[in-house]
């Protein structure tokens, strides 16, 4: 049973079960609220890992509030059953739901009534949760909470102003409601995130480079660099640790510390998946995000360019929500419930160790599970060295040799249960040059050795496409071209029958394991279609389209060609104008000659008429003188 808090004594409960503290007059909405109310209101599984809700997501507005990945940010923290939690800006309640499952008392405040309604529907079976319509201003400034959760809210409290005052006031209010030793868990985008550096649009304005340029244009929100964020937290009375979140705090897959970046740059470079998703507006494809991130990590500054931050700010001294020995957490929540895994990287005196645990032990098995064995190792050492995949990209002259060495790791013959995870991205070339298999989770009945080889080549081709400029991969154009090229270098025969067998085996495996969203999913047919589609994708499409510099070069070439055409036309026009000028001169000369002729004719005519007249007068004069009439 949850304990009473001062805010629960305030306000009146409305028709949706929310306690109304005030009318903040905030009309912001993304248009998904009514649809979410229908989905959540009719659902039977409301849990934070609900496949029922995830399968109903059809667009960004519904995905953001329904998929299990939304809760990963809080899954990364060591929350305890007896904790009292205040959540500011709960939205439609995906994180509220997780907090209610983990903690004793959860007070969630949301300024928009339509969203508060959905959050109440999502937590309607949890006595631990109370949902309020209002803002932090409505919460009594009494130190009663162990944790205050602020996810995607701080950036909005100042309406985009550069004035630090409203942000500091908000943080001071959070400090006031925390117990001594309590923690503020604050998530926010990084204005210097590597995705923004690579050309992605700013999440709040949908314009590229807004945050990098300090929001020179009007913006509804303002994010903060790591240093600025920590300075503000210190001014508000907090000590803080800042973690990196990828691809961002919204749908986080990886969360890690600065210590990981320093102790294992190779691992820190490979934990995030790139490119980060563009949720609404496609980016300008400028720099390669993965390679840019690797460069920043290798330069020792990667922590300043994480896409999002999770700041853990403490009031005085208290229990840590993130243990000191924990370096990273990795979540595989895009899978069906029985297969979702939480991985943790820890440091010890001998290096780094990777720990795994199944997140939902005992979850009901899906169709097809009888042919899938999920056997993740509970613990394994992190092997120093480079991924085989990296070596394939960086040492093309050794590609055939390395691929043959990888194939030699596979069983020599078909096994009933094939280790399908023995693929290049799960193989490390250690410091001695030996190939070592890591992260072996899956065995699949009847997959076959040939299909396993094609699987490894196919996944390697996709990742090589992401890590290599298409020009460098010439003459390969499509993913299928890369697969065939790698097969040839490895001495593997690859025909249509082998490809068909791989697609059949892989689609059965994926439809069993992966939790897809939307009305089509999950199904073997859809998985097969997706595989065929990826096989035929161009290398530039895998990377998100043609790079902007290539597009610019093509546009420049087109403009240059147009310029040449325009110059030729201008020369032709000049020639015509010269012809016209010459003709004008000729016409003018002819006109002058005609005029002269006309004048001559007139002159002659006048002279002739005058002569006749003179002669006539003379004859008349003679006639009068002789008495005869003129003839």
């Amino acid at each position: 049973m949850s304990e009473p808090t001062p805010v629960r004594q305030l306000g009146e409960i409305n028709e949706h079960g929310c306690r109304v503290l005030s009318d903040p007059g905030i009309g912001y909405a993304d248009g998904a609220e009514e649809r979410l109310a229908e989905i959540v209101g009719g659902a039977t599984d409301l849990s934070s890992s609900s496949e029922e809700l995830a399968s109903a997501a059809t667009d960004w507005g519904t995905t953001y509030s329904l998929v299990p990945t939304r809760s990963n940010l809080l899954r990364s923290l060591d929350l305890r059953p007896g904790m009292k939690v205040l959540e500011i800006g709960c939205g439609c309640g995906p994180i509220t739901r997780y907090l209610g499952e983990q903690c004793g008392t959860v007070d969630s405040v949301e300024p928009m009534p339509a969203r508060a309604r959905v959050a109440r529907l999502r937590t309607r079976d949890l006595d631990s949760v109370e949902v309020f319509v209002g803002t932090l201003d409505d919460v009594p400034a009494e130190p009663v909470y162990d944790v205050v959760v602020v996810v995607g809210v701080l950036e909005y409290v100042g309406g985009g102003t550069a004035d630090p005052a409203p942000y500091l006031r908000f943080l001071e209010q959070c400090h006031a409601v925390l117990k001594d030793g309590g923690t503020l868990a604050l998530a926010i985008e990084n204005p210097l995130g590597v995705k923004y550096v690579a050309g992605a649009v700013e999440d709040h304005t949908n314009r590229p480079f807004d945050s990098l340029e300090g929001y020179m244009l009007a913006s509804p929100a303002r994010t903060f660099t790591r240093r600025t964020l920590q300075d503000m937290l210190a001014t508000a009375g907090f000590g803080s640790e800042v973690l990196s979140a990828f691809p961002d705090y919204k749908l986080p897959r990886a969360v890690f510390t600065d210590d990981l970046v320093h102790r294992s740059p190779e691992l820190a470079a490979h934990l995030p998946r790139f490119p980060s998703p563009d949720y609404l507006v496609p980016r300008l494809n400028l720099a390669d995000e993965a390679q840019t991130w690797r460069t920043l990590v290798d330069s020792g500054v990667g922590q300043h360019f994480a896409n999002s931050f999770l700041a853990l700010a403490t009031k005085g001294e208290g229990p840590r929500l993130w243990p000191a020995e924990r370096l990273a957490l990795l979540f595989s929540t895009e899978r069906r419930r029985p297969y979702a895994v939480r991985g943790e990287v820890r440091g010890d005196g001998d290096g780094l160790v990777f720990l795994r645990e199944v997140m939902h032990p005992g979850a009901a098995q899906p169709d097809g599970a009888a042919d899938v064995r999920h056997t993740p190792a509970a613990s394994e050492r992190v092997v120093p060295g480079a991924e085989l995949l990296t070596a394939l990209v960086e040492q093309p002259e050794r590609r055939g040799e390395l691929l043959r060495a990888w194939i030699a790791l596979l069983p020599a013959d078909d096994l009933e249960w094939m280790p399908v995870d023995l693929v290049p991205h799960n193989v490390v070339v250690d410091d001695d040059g030996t190939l070592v298999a890591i992260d072996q989770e899956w065995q699949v009945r009847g997959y076959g050795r040939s299909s396993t080889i094609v699987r490894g080549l196919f996944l390697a081709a996709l990742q090589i496409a992401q890590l290599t400029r298409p020009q460098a991969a010439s003459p390969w154009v499509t993913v299928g071209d890369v697969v065939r090229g790698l097969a040839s270098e490895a001495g593997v025969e690859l025909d249509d029958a082998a490809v068909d067998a791989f697609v059949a085996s892989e689609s059965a495996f994926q439809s069993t394991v992966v939790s897809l969203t939307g009305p089509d999913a999950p199904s073997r047919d859809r998985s097969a279609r997706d595989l065929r589609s990826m096989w035929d994708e161009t290398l530039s499409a895998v990377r998100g389209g043609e790079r902007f510099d290539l597009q610019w070069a093509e546009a420049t070439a087109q403009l240059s060609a147009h310029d040449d055409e325009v110059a030729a036309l201008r020369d032709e026009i000049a020639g015509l104008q010269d012809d016209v000028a010459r003709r004008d001169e000729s016409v003018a000369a002819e006109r002058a000659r005609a005029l002269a002729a006309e004048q001559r004719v007139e002159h002659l005519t006048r002279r002739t008429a005058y002569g006749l007249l003179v002669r006539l007068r003379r004859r008349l004069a003679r006639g009068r003188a002789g008495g005869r009439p003129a003839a």
Side-chain angles (χ1 to χ4, degrees):
M1 191 71 179
S2 61
E3 296 182 24
T5 56
V7 73
R8 294 192 177 198
Q9 314 305 314
L10 305 176
E12 299 292 334
I13 297 177
N14 67 12
E15 68 273 22
H16 302 302
C18 303
R19 190 173 288 275
V20 179
L21 303 176
S22 65
D23 179 9
I26 296 177
Y28 173 80
D30 60 19
E33 290 80 11
E34 282 299 319
R35 176 61 181 146
L36 285 168
E38 294 175 7
I39 294 170
V40 175
T44 55
D45 181 4
L46 299 170
S47 69
S48 60
S49 58
S50 171
E51 290 185 355
E52 177 188 358
L53 291 177
S55 66
T58 56
D59 54 19
W60 172 239
T62 50
T63 296
Y64 182 64
S65 294
L66 297 179
V67 298
T69 311
R70 272 288 279 136
S71 303
N72 285 347
L73 198 73
L74 275 295
R75 287 190 178 98
S76 68
L77 305 181
D78 290 356
L79 301 174
R80 298 183 298 279
M83 284 182 163
K84 290 183 179 178
V85 179
L86 173 66
E87 181 188 17
I88 303 299
C90 68
C92 293
I95 290 175
T96 314
R97 177 72 205 192
Y98 179 78
L99 292 171
E101 294 168 353
Q102 302 299 315
C103 302
T105 300
V106 180
D107 292 339
S108 291
V109 180
E110 167 57 41
M112 185 180 170
R115 291 187 171 187
R117 173 195 175 196
V118 180
R120 180 69 278 179
L121 287 169
R122 185 72 185 266
T123 58
R124 60 183 181 268
D125 59 333
L126 297 178
D127 293 335
S128 58
V129 177
E130 191 80 63
V131 178
F132 302 84
V133 177
T135 68
L136 180 56
D137 290 336
D138 301 312
V139 179
E142 300 182 32
V144 297
Y145 296 103
D146 300 290
V147 180
V148 173
V149 174
V150 176
V151 176
V153 173
L154 178 64
E155 54 266 46
Y156 287 102
V157 300
T161 180
D163 182 359
Y167 310 105
L168 285 172
R169 177 177 176 273
F170 179 89
L171 294 174
E172 289 166 351
Q173 288 177 287
C174 292
H175 189 276
V177 298
L178 277 169
K179 297 176 182 177
D180 288 338
T183 300
L184 166 65
L186 187 152
I188 190 170
E189 297 92 345
N190 176 12
L192 303 180
V194 63
K195 70 175 184 179
Y196 293 154
V197 173
V201 299
E202 207 274 349
D203 285 355
H204 308 93
T205 67
N206 292 330
R207 296 188 297 253
F209 310 127
D210 265 8
S211 58
L212 293 174
E213 296 174 343
Y215 298 99
M216 297 175 69
L217 301 176
S219 169
R222 177 172 292 269
T223 57
F224 307 100
T225 65
R226 181 192 184 95
R227 185 175 71 178
T228 300
L229 180 61
Q230 288 194 284
D231 286 347
M232 288 196 302
L233 288 167
T235 301
F238 290 103
S240 64
E241 174 184 18
V242 176
L243 309 174
S244 299
F246 279 94
D248 50 38
Y249 76 75
K250 302 176 187 69
L251 300 178
R253 177 180 178 270
V255 182
F256 51 88
T257 65
D258 296 354
D259 201 16
L260 177 74
V261 178
H262 298 144
R263 293 184 63 172
S264 181
E266 187 72 24
L267 187 58
H270 282 96
L271 279 186
R273 290 178 181 171
F274 296 109
S276 303
D278 299 320
Y279 297 120
L280 293 174
V281 179
R283 71 181 65 186
L284 291 171
N285 200 359
L286 299 176
D288 182 280
E289 189 179 355
Q291 297 295 358
T292 302
W293 172 245
R294 172 181 282 278
T295 300
L296 293 168
V297 169
D298 289 345
S299 300
V301 296
Q303 65 272 21
H304 292 283
F305 294 89
N307 283 339
S308 288
F309 296 133
L310 172 59
L312 301 179
T314 55
K315 181 179 180 178
E317 297 294 330
R320 294 174 61 99
L321 300 186
W322 180 282
E325 63 274 15
R326 180 183 295 159
L327 302 181
L329 285 177
L330 195 65
F331 297 95
S332 299
T333 47
E334 71 280 3
R335 303 172 179 175
R336 296 286 188 88
R337 281 172 56 90
Y339 309 123
V341 170
R342 176 185 184 271
E344 180 175 350
V345 180
R346 290 192 173 229
D348 59 23
D350 297 323
L352 305 182
V353 62
F354 196 80
L355 309 174
R356 296 183 189 83
E357 62 177 354
V358 175
M359 295 173 63
H360 309 292
Q365 297 293 308
D367 293 340
D371 293 326
V372 173
R373 284 180 178 172
H374 186 219
T375 56
S379 174
E380 64 178 303
R381 305 299 307 184
V382 174
V383 179
E387 278 190 2
L388 173 58
L389 182 68
T390 302
L392 294 176
V393 172
E394 296 179 352
Q395 303 176 53
E397 72 283 355
R398 295 188 59 208
R399 212 155 40 202
E401 168 198 342
L402 292 168
L403 287 169
R404 289 189 291 274
W406 156 64
I407 292 173
L409 295 178
L410 295 169
D413 302 301
D414 287 346
L415 300 179
E416 180 183 6
W417 293 95
M418 203 68 190
V420 298
D421 252 357
L422 196 47
V423 291
H425 69 263
N426 284 337
V427 175
V428 171
V429 183
D430 70 13
D431 295 338
D432 296 326
T434 303
L435 271 58
V436 181
I438 62 169
D439 200 14
Q440 299 298 293
E441 288 191 69
W442 304 99
Q443 295 177 348
V444 180
R445 191 203 306 268
Y447 202 97
R449 183 175 188 271
S450 174
S451 292
T452 303
I453 292 174
V454 179
R455 182 176 201 262
L457 295 175
F458 175 70
L459 294 176
L462 285 173
Q463 291 161 324
I464 287 172
Q466 291 175 341
L467 296 172
T468 308
R469 287 211 191 186
Q471 308 96 298
S474 180
W476 298 335
V477 175
T478 67
V479 172
D481 291 341
V482 181
V483 177
R484 294 184 185 91
L486 295 178
S488 177
E489 293 182 14
V492 173
E493 291 188 12
L494 184 63
D495 55 21
D496 291 343
V499 174
D500 292 342
F502 156 68
V503 170
S505 297
E506 184 68 13
S507 58
F509 173 49
Q510 292 294 332
S511 63
T512 300
V513 170
V514 177
S515 179
L516 301 173
T517 59
D520 297 334
S523 73
R524 184 178 299 193
D525 288 343
R526 174 177 174 178
S527 295
R529 289 195 304 271
D530 289 346
L531 288 168
R532 295 287 187 187
S533 175
M534 286 187 284
W535 188 277
D536 294 330
E537 274 198 337
T538 64
L539 302 187
S540 61
V542 173
R543 292 167 57 87
E546 291 288 353
R547 280 177 58 116
F548 183 77
D549 56 353
L550 292 178
Q551 295 173 333
W552 180 259
E554 290 174 0
T556 302
Q558 291 173 356
L559 287 173
S560 178
H562 291 321
D563 286 345
D564 293 342
E565 184 178 353
V566 168
L569 288 172
R570 284 176 175 166
D571 289 343
E572 184 177 351
I573 290 170
L576 292 172
Q577 289 174 336
D578 289 343
D579 288 345
V580 169
R582 286 193 294 271
R583 290 174 183 175
D584 286 346
E585 291 176 359
S586 176
V587 168
E590 292 295 330
R591 284 177 176 169
R593 286 195 290 271
L595 179 62
E598 289 175 357
Q599 291 174 343
R600 177 68 176 166
V601 167
E602 183 178 359
H603 175 70
L604 292 173
T605 302
R606 287 177 178 175
R607 282 187 60 188
T608 301
Y610 179 75
L612 289 173
L613 180 61
V614 169
R615 287 196 295 273
L616 178 61
R617 284 178 176 173
R618 286 176 180 172
R619 290 179 64 183
L620 288 173
R622 286 197 298 270
R624 284 194 298 269
R628 293 189 302 268

